[in-house]
Structures are given as structure tokens and as C-alpha cells.
Amino acid sequence: MTSRHAPVIPPHMLDALARHGAGHLKSRAQNTLSIDQQFRQPMSARAKASLIHQNYPDSAPGAPARYIFDANHQTRLPGELVLEEGGALLDDPQVVEAYEDLGATYRFFHDVMGRHSIDGEGMALLGTVHYGQEYQNAFWNGEQMVFGDGDGEVFLPFTRALDVVAHELTHGVTELTAGLEYRDQPGALNESISDVFGVMVKQYARGEDVTQADWLIGADLLAEGVNGKALRSMSAPGTAYDDPMLGKDPQPAHMDQFVNTRSDNGGVHINSGIPNHAFYLIAMELGGNSWETAGQIWYDTLTDERLASDAQFIDFAGLTMAHATQRFGQRVAEAVMNGWKQVGIGP
Amino acid sequence: MTRFEDLSRFTRVCITREGGLVAAPGLMRPRTFDVVECSSDEQNALCHWLNEGERIGREASPGRGDQRYFRICLYKDRDGEASPDEELNVPEDAAPAGVKALWEEGRIEPL
Ligand SMILES: [Zn+2]
């Protein structure tokens, strides 16, 4: 049975590494074993990050430190290390996609937001591909990103979509900044922040302004024959898919349609449609590149110590207005307020 | 005494798989077990797997960061839209085999 708070390297592998590993790997493995023995309780996000620092060398500011693993269709994490930063690219599309998409996400956070990796301190980016059998998901487990290959009928490999890779990495950023709880409204904000940064990373990489962008999440994931265009639409939440296998996109775009449910951790992937749509409206109203104005306001808000881990939509909206005023002045702050108002949030 | 010691208080046990990046309603694929139709061996096995799931779910934060999980709801009333009387979330990749079998195969794994 795997524990949810297992170290990044499974204990039996650490043991083998400690006995047989090459010099630097050997000392790292011994280090992790002794640390793990101290942590029988669930580890905080910070503690997990420091474990990554101790086991995977980080990089100088401006460059990522990427480590790509292959799970070989098992569910043991992180799997076999197949590519390190600067290594020769393998003839495996998912390994290359994960490596390149993590690089593009790193560049966005560094070049646009001035953040050196997930924790701001150069933490290594760990990604595992070929996770599980026909696995239709990608996730962040508190230490690393994990990508399934999809089943080929509904979903293609999850590394194909840069916005999805960026979405998962952003979960790491959120855990290490605002630490928004993964339930109800704070959880929907957590999800929305991952979509917002996911979509911006894609727009930045493609050089698209707000009118050129498709404002879709995971458009590259759906296999041919699925009746849908993406996993979510920020411009028109609730319209991404309507398919016999997937059902109908349940996202609301306005507080009037807020979904009260205990399903999906309290609708975190459902009600995220509301702040997603607010971001879209605000970015469209401001024009130009999403990351230059709206994106800066969102990043300022995410990293503001006043953003509580149990923040509600209204709290988040209030802080975006404060940061809009502070960084860009009254005109931009009014556009931000109008965007929130149009989704039913605000005074 | 755990909250799943005695299933005779309930009429239905429903399991869905939820969360994940996709979180599409069609992927939840609910399975419902009629407690009254279960033999006492099956009821005991069901209790066992619920308790195992509870033990694992308590140590984790099911769902966080797009991790999928099983959501198990227990109902006293026979039908209708009432909210569950007990519920339990179990992370998919740490779930006991017996919890996985409930959802994947609609089967109560014997003890
Ligand atoms: Zn997410």
C-alpha cells in the first residue's frame, strides 16, 4: 500500500540506491531516508519543497532544473529517471513534451512574474510520464507533476497540452503561496488560478494577445470523435463539451448559477468557471496581452499575505481591486471591478 | 465502534470516482449497492472495506491538486434526492483493493 505522504523516491529504491548508487545519488538517498523517518505526520508544502531541494539539485535564477521520470505504466512515483536538465532528448514524445512544457512554464513564471520556479527558490521541477494504464488524468501530488497517457479514445497524452502542464505546476505555486484550501470557494479559486496561469502560459508561448487566444483549457487533449473542444472554456464556461462519455460541461459563468454540491470537493472544478470568466472579462476589457496587466494583478493577489487559505470569491476579488489600483491606477481598477460585477461578485 | 460498524442502519451505499483535472460528470460512473440485498458476509466485507478506506482517507487530503478519489455515500432512505447520511472520500491511488472493486467492477470483494 502506498502512503499519500511517501517520499518522492519509494523507500525500497532509496535503500537500493543507498547501497549501490553512484556517489552523489548515494548521499542523497541516505539523506532522504533519514528525513523520512522524522516525518510520520503529513508534511507541509514547505517541508515537501525542502525535501525536493535536498534530493534534486536546483538551478541558478533564470533557468529551470527539470527531472523527467517514466512510470512505465505503473503507479509508483516518481518512476525511473530518464531525462535531467540539459540531457539529450529521448525519442519519446511524452518525455520531450513534459520537458519542454515544464521549461515553458518555468520561463513564464521567471520572465513575466519574476518567480524562480515553484517555490521562488529554484526548486527542481519533477514530472512523471506514462503513469498508470490508459490513465485519463494529470495531477500535482504535493511534490511533483504526474501525467497519464490517456486512453486514446477520449483523451490523448496529457503532456500534449501546455496549459495542462502549466495548470499542474501552478498547483505547486498556490500550495506554497496562498495555500488555498481544496474545498468549496477557496478550492474553486485554487482551481481557477491554475486555469488562469495555464491559459496565460499558453498565450505567452504562442505570442497571442487576448483577442487571438482561444481561452480554452486542454484543447489539445481531446481525441477525435469527442463532442467537445476542450476541458473548460474561460470565455464561455459550460460550453466546453457535451458528449456521451464525458457528459455535459457543468461550469457556471455567474454567481446566479453557483453549484452547491459536496461532489468534487465541493465543486472546485465546477464553480472555478465563475472566477475564470471574471479573469477573461477583465483581460478582454484591458486588451493587449493577458499577462501584462490582468496576469500581474492575479499574481500580486496570489502572493499577497492577506489572501487567506479559506478566502471566498469576494475576498479574492477585493484584493485584485487593491492590487489593480496599486500597480496600475484607477482606470484599471475600475475594469477589474466591472469584470467581477459581471459574474455577480462585488458590491 | 466506527461509523461503519453496522450497515443495517442504511439502505444504500453509492460509490463514484470524482475529482481529477478533467472532473467531467460522465467519468463519475456511480455504482449503487442495496444493503438489504447483501448477505451478512457481504455486509461484513463492505464494512471492512469502508473502514479500510476511512483509515487511508484520514491520512490524506483526497482530491487536492487534481488527484482523483472515490466518494462513498451511505443513505438511510431508499430513494430520492436526500443528501447522504454518511460519506467518505478515499484517494484513488492509495485505495484498498476492495474499495477499487466496488467502483471498477461493482463487486464486493470477499474477506
Ligand atoms: Zn487543478
Side-chain angles (χ1 to χ4, degrees):
Chain A
M1 195 54 53
T2 54
S3 154
R4 301 297 289 174
H5 302 287
V8 174
I9 304 176
H12 70 276
M13 273 183 63
L14 280 176
D15 202 38
L17 271 177
R19 282 182 280 119
H20 310 297
H24 69 293
L25 283 175
K26 204 168 167 177
S27 61
R28 274 196 250 159
Q30 282 161 345
N31 202 356
T32 306
L33 275 178
S34 60
I35 288 167
D36 182 49
Q37 280 147 13
Q38 298 164 22
F39 289 104
R40 284 287 161 237
Q41 295 299 310
M43 286 165 66
S44 70
R46 261 304 143 195
K48 287 181 180 177
S50 78
L51 199 56
I52 301 294
H53 276 284
Q54 287 166 35
N55 289 291
Y56 298 93
D58 40 55
S59 51
R66 290 166 285 183
Y67 297 83
I68 309 298
F69 301 82
D70 187 340
N72 288 306
H73 304 288
Q74 308 291 307
T75 54
R76 195 165 272 165
L77 291 174
E80 179 194 350
L81 180 61
V82 291
L83 179 58
E84 279 190 57
E85 189 63 42
L89 293 184
L90 301 184
D91 191 19
D92 179 329
Q94 277 68 64
V95 170
V96 173
E97 284 161 0
Y99 186 79
E100 291 181 344
D101 289 352
L102 290 176
T105 308
Y106 175 90
R107 278 193 296 283
F108 177 85
F109 274 102
H110 181 270
D111 298 355
V112 179
M113 303 300 168
R115 184 179 192 82
H116 180 29
S117 193
I118 294 174
D119 64 344
E121 289 166 18
M123 175 180 172
L125 305 174
L126 277 53
T128 294
V129 300
H130 303 311
Y131 179 83
Q133 304 274 350
E134 300 190 348
Y135 191 75
Q136 302 174 324
N137 193 26
F139 62 90
W140 162 259
N141 76 348
E143 297 165 351
Q144 66 157 110
M145 289 142 281
V146 182
F147 305 99
D149 285 338
D151 58 324
E153 305 236 333
V154 183
F155 292 106
L156 303 173
F158 281 66
T159 45
R160 281 174 58 96
L162 171 58
D163 47 4
V164 162
V165 175
H167 174 111
E168 298 310 332
L169 192 152
T170 305
H171 275 309
V173 176
T174 298
E175 280 186 4
L176 285 158
T177 51
L180 288 161
E181 292 169 12
Y182 207 73
R183 55 160 191 90
D184 308 318
Q185 284 199 25
L189 285 169
N190 186 320
E191 270 306 316
S192 173
I193 286 160
S194 274
D195 279 348
V196 162
F197 283 87
V199 96
M200 283 197 289
V201 168
K202 183 171 74 172
Q203 291 172 11
Y204 180 71
R206 293 179 177 178
E208 291 174 343
D209 69 26
V210 295
T211 59
Q212 294 163 326
D214 62 13
W215 293 98
L216 297 171
I217 302 294
D220 306 315
L221 285 189
L222 296 188
E224 229 172 283
V226 174
N227 190 21
K229 46 190 189 239
L231 302 183
R232 291 183 270 282
S233 166
M234 295 177 65
S235 58
T239 68
Y241 56 85
D242 188 355
D243 178 82
M245 283 294 289
L246 295 176
K248 189 185 176 307
D249 178 1
Q251 284 209 314
H254 191 281
M255 285 305 279
D256 288 349
Q257 283 93 45
F258 185 92
V259 178
N260 277 303
T261 177
R262 293 187 51 93
S263 195
D264 182 33
N265 291 108
V268 296
H269 296 89
I270 300 172
N271 293 313
S272 56
I274 297 167
N276 274 3
H277 194 51
F279 181 83
Y280 162 80
L281 292 169
I282 291 162
M284 290 301 281
E285 174 65 23
L286 295 170
N289 295 321
S290 62
W291 58 88
E292 284 173 359
T293 313
Q296 296 291 339
I297 294 166
W298 251 245
Y299 185 73
D300 287 347
T301 302
L302 177 64
T303 53
D304 185 334
E305 285 180 358
R306 292 172 294 174
L307 181 64
S309 60
D310 61 352
Q312 306 294 300
F313 290 175
I314 186 76
D315 305 319
F316 188 89
L319 279 176
T320 61
M321 287 180 242
H323 283 290
T325 310
Q326 200 177 319
R327 194 188 265 264
F328 298 108
Q330 202 53 42
R331 188 192 70 80
V332 170
E334 267 165 34
V336 171
M337 189 175 73
N338 284 334
W340 285 112
K341 214 182 262 176
Q342 285 178 71
V343 301
I345 294 167
Chain B
M1 181 80 185
T2 72
R3 61 187 175 134
F4 304 123
E5 205 85 359
D6 176 19
L7 285 192
S8 66
R9 297 188 290 137
F10 305 103
T11 63
R12 291 178 292 143
V13 175
C14 182
I15 180 166
T16 45
R17 192 185 63 188
E18 304 195 358
L21 170 79
V22 179
L27 301 181
M28 288 165 56
R29 296 187 203 127
R31 301 250 196 201
T32 301
F33 298 82
D34 188 327
V35 175
V36 181
E37 282 182 15
C38 291
S39 68
S40 66
D41 280 355
E42 285 175 325
Q43 286 199 17
N44 286 341
L46 199 47
C47 281
H48 171 79
W49 295 120
L50 294 179
N51 285 322
E52 283 291 293
E54 169 126 293
R55 193 174 57 77
I56 283 157
R58 214 184 305 120
E59 296 171 4
S61 330
R64 201 169 45 83
D66 298 320
Q67 301 182 75
R68 295 192 303 212
Y69 63 96
F70 296 112
R71 178 161 177 257
I72 305 170
C73 293
L74 290 85
Y75 298 88
K76 288 180 178 165
D77 77 322
R78 182 140 292 279
D79 38 41
E81 297 292 297
S83 46
D85 298 288
E86 292 285 356
E87 59 179 288
L88 162 69
N89 292 340
V90 186
E92 179 187 35
D93 62 357
V99 171
K100 282 186 181 153
L102 291 175
W103 185 79
E104 284 171 5
E105 302 163 52
R107 185 173 63 81
I108 300 171
E109 169 94 16
L111 294 181

